[in-house]
Amino acid sequence: MDTLMTNQRPLWKDQFWENPWDQGGLAVISLFIIVVLLLMSFATVFGALPTPEKANRFEES
């Protein structure tokens, strides 16, 4: 009975990686998530920086 349980591999894992459309969909979803995270990080960084008008005002004082 133990040999039957140890030799079984999930069939869906093998079938998933054999289909190129599934791999492409995974790549597209991954790229979308990466782009969204990059845009959020740019918005955070550039939103925290002072505008040039405010930066020049402090130098004139």
Side-chain angles (χ1 to χ4, degrees), residues 7-59:
N7 289 337
Q8 289 180 349
R9 289 177 36 193
L11 189 58
W12 64 270
K13 288 184 181 180
D14 293 336
Q15 289 175 350
F16 179 81
W17 293 113
E18 289 175 2
N19 190 353
W21 286 102
D22 290 337
Q23 293 176 0
L26 187 63
V28 168
I29 291 170
S30 300
L31 286 173
F32 179 75
I33 291 172
I34 290 169
V35 166
V36 167
L37 290 176
L38 276 173
L39 289 175
M40 287 173 51
S41 65
F42 283 143
T44 303
V45 167
F46 290 116
L49 294 176
T51 59
E53 294 85 21
K54 290 183 181 178
N56 291 337
R57 186 180 61 194
F58 292 124
E59 292 175 1

